[in-house]
Amino acid sequence: METEREVVFTVHLKAGDRQCVLALPASDEGLANAKNTLDITEFWEMEVVSLECGIPCLKDSLPTDCGSAVEADKLALEIEGMMQTDGSVKRYAAALQMEKVSSFHEALEIAYRMNGDAQEMWQGEELTTPEFIKIHEVDYDPQDMTIGGIR
């Protein structure tokens, strides 16, 4: 039996004159139901009308200008991963506020960095700032200039 997932986002979608509501992260069944309800074959055919965040500590820090349901689902999966570690979602909320995130895409990039997809995302000097080290709880070794093993 599949365990019930916590709803990170509720998105209101439309395609043409059809509309539906989808909880994210979505199961394969939920995504298939949304496509059937909207009478579409590809996810790029649907438009996000609105997005609501179901995680209280993120409601005020997370932009809701989501460009696509696919992007929203990716971020929901990243946040779901953070929820497996105590305090990670609150650190993510702090990072969003500190970096003054203004777009949903920027919020997704920060989530990728925090969940370990950082090697491609992190840029030189910002790695060694005290704020970055504190928020991301990385191990900084000034002797060999590495961040958690990433050079």
Side-chain angles (χ1 to χ4, degrees):
M1 185 174 144
E2 189 176 322
T3 59
E4 190 162 324
R5 299 167 96 170
E6 185 165 347
V7 175
V8 175
F9 300 123
T10 302
V11 289
H12 298 262
L13 305 165
K14 79 173 192 174
D17 61 347
R18 295 174 177 248
Q19 296 188 20
C20 76
V21 176
L22 180 63
L24 300 176
S27 64
D28 290 340
E29 182 182 343
L31 292 172
N33 288 341
K35 286 167 73 173
N36 286 337
T37 300
L38 296 172
D39 194 27
I40 60 172
T41 56
E42 301 294 331
F43 289 110
W44 58 264
E45 297 176 85
M46 66 178 85
E47 176 186 340
V48 175
V49 176
S50 66
L51 177 134
E52 299 158 9
C53 183
I55 309 298
C57 69
L58 294 176
K59 284 184 179 182
D60 294 333
S61 353
L62 192 65
T64 57
D65 67 334
C66 177
S68 73
V70 172
E71 193 172 58
D73 195 47
K74 286 179 183 179
L75 183 54
L77 288 168
E78 292 296 320
I79 293 170
E80 182 179 58
M82 289 177 202
M83 293 165 60
Q84 306 307 311
T85 306
D86 287 343
S88 289
V89 175
K90 288 184 180 178
R91 284 192 297 279
Y92 177 59
L96 293 174
Q97 290 177 355
M98 185 185 101
E99 298 197 24
K100 297 176 178 66
V101 172
S102 61
S103 75
F104 201 83
H105 185 73
E106 288 174 12
L108 181 58
E109 288 179 355
I110 291 170
Y112 282 148
R113 283 188 292 198
M114 291 185 70
N115 280 344
D117 302 323
Q119 198 156 3
E120 299 169 17
M121 305 291 293
W122 289 345
Q123 303 273 328
E125 293 176 355
E126 75 174 8
L127 291 174
T128 59
T129 63
E131 296 83 8
F132 184 89
I133 291 168
K134 182 178 177 185
I135 286 174
H136 299 287
E137 292 186 358
V138 294
D139 296 319
Y140 174 60
D141 185 349
Q143 196 71 345
D144 69 357
M145 299 299 288
T146 63
I147 300 290
I150 299 172
R151 200 174 277 285

